[in-house]
Amino acid sequence: MEVVARSSANPPFIIAGDGSHDHPWSLRVPSSSRKADPKEVPAIVSLGDDPQGIFQSSPPSPVDIAVILKNTRRLGATKAAISATLAWDEPEVIALSALDGELAAFSSLVTAAPVSRSATSNAIPPTFRRASVSLDQIRGDTSAIPSVNRVSLPGVILGGETALSGFSVIEQDTSENTPLIARWEDRAVFAFPLVAVLASKGIPVESLEIQLGNYIKLGPQGPVIPIDAFGRLAIPAAGVEEPVRVTADVVIDSDEPLPRNNSGLILLRDDQSGAEEATRAFSKKVAPLVAAISSGAGMTPEQTFSRLGQRWD
């Protein structure tokens, strides 16, 4: 089947089945015409510059973030993915307690943080570990996956006992393709957009099927994502139009329910002009990446090659 696939298309290929009558071969190949479904783009609550001084400080303080999250829940949000990094210098204990309470109130929460590799190794934070799998679960040469051993920012807030986390960037990675997997000790941790899709759709991380150089499959019935041998997205995430973007200050006074995508996910995104370049780049692509992963963009629909009937065979 792989020989047949290579005669008509370039990798990555997604080949399933074993060629039997019960499990015939099936094939999916890259397709530039297979775009992300606009209905899978998460609704965006944007953390902007706050020129009117509505919030306590700029960038927003822990209390500001707590107020924003409380009001998103008031307007109907139950699943939150926070791509903005929650880290402050010497925050007040009471403010952090208020923020922790609001984070814990969501039925599904995913947070983000940059990761890197250094001479000093740290243990995997619990939220990252809950959203990880053993390297033994991955088919292929896992030594090619970028290696990390710490969260780059000290004191970053990742959420409580049910929260999940994914990395926003791998600081030493200079590839133009988006990394989706990193090695941390004997575990594979995943990019924030991928973890956000898993959480919003209720897909257990243990059900991931990963074949380096081919694909990540999100559960038996889930979407399929083409990846290269390094665990990076093999094709660019096609641009999709954002839904109505709601600024954080509007959320405070609004009585209108927040728009939501198919899975009800709300994305809290850092859109501050003074943010670091890596943060701005990540914010720009995070919503299209969530949509592309969630809808299995970039690959053709599954084509099945059934054998002849038993008698003819």
Side-chain angles (χ1 to χ4, degrees):
M1 176 53 68
E2 185 172 343
V3 171
V4 171
R6 289 184 181 277
S7 68
S8 59
N10 293 319
F13 307 121
I14 300 173
I15 299 173
D18 56 15
S20 65
H21 286 98
D22 293 335
H23 303 97
W25 292 117
S26 66
L27 174 67
R28 299 180 68 181
V29 297
S31 171
S32 58
S33 62
R34 181 86 170 179
K35 305 294 185 182
D37 184 351
K39 294 180 181 179
E40 296 294 342
V41 183
I44 297 167
V45 175
S46 172
L47 294 174
D49 289 338
D50 188 27
Q52 298 177 350
I54 293 175
F55 296 113
Q56 187 180 77
S57 63
S58 182
S61 69
V63 169
D64 294 327
I65 299 296
V67 170
I68 293 167
L69 294 177
K70 182 175 182 178
N71 280 279
T72 60
R73 288 192 298 105
R74 177 178 62 84
L75 299 178
T78 59
K79 301 177 182 179
I82 305 176
S83 64
T85 304
L86 304 180
W88 296 269
D89 294 329
E90 300 181 358
E92 296 180 0
V93 175
I94 295 176
L96 286 183
S97 178
L99 176 58
D100 287 340
E102 293 302 328
L103 292 173
F106 288 94
S107 64
S108 170
L109 174 69
V110 180
T111 54
V115 294
S116 62
R117 182 164 185 82
S118 72
T120 304
S121 177
N122 293 336
I124 305 176
T127 56
F128 273 91
R129 180 172 287 276
R130 284 194 289 270
S132 71
V133 298
S134 168
L135 290 175
D136 295 337
Q137 188 173 323
I138 299 175
R139 287 182 284 171
D141 181 11
T142 57
S143 66
I145 301 172
S147 177
V148 302
N149 60 9
R150 69 184 185 108
V151 171
S152 304
L153 293 175
V156 63
I157 306 301
L158 297 174
E161 295 181 356
T162 61
L164 305 176
S165 293
F167 58 82
S168 52
V169 295
I170 301 175
E171 291 194 344
Q172 294 91 342
D173 190 276
T174 58
S175 171
E176 294 183 0
N177 293 341
T178 302
L180 295 180
I181 311 173
R183 287 185 296 125
W184 194 331
E185 298 175 356
D186 59 348
R187 309 288 294 179
V189 296
F190 299 100
F192 170 83
L194 176 56
V195 179
V197 172
L198 291 174
S200 65
K201 292 183 175 293
I203 300 173
V205 67
E206 296 81 8
S207 69
L208 288 177
E209 182 182 339
I210 305 171
Q211 187 176 111
L212 294 176
N214 278 317
Y215 62 86
I216 300 175
K217 187 174 183 181
L218 278 60
Q221 307 301 323
V224 178
I225 313 154
I227 60 172
D228 63 17
F230 303 95
R232 304 185 185 110
L233 190 65
I235 55 174
V240 289
E241 185 177 349
E242 293 181 359
V244 177
R245 182 165 57 97
V246 180
T247 57
D249 58 308
V250 170
V251 170
I252 305 300
D253 298 321
S254 176
D255 291 322
E256 294 291 329
L258 290 171
R260 281 175 285 176
N261 69 352
N262 281 349
S263 59
L265 182 67
I266 300 295
L267 174 67
L268 184 63
R269 191 177 71 182
D270 189 347
D271 289 334
Q272 297 173 91
S273 61
E276 295 182 359
E277 182 179 350
T279 300
R280 294 198 305 271
F282 176 62
S283 292
K284 183 177 180 180
K285 67 183 182 180
V286 63
L289 280 170
V290 169
I293 292 170
S294 186
S295 53
M299 302 296 290
T300 61
E302 187 175 67
Q303 183 178 4
T304 301
F305 298 85
S306 299
R307 296 176 65 137
L308 296 172
Q310 293 278 6
R311 182 176 178 182
W312 287 101
D313 200 14

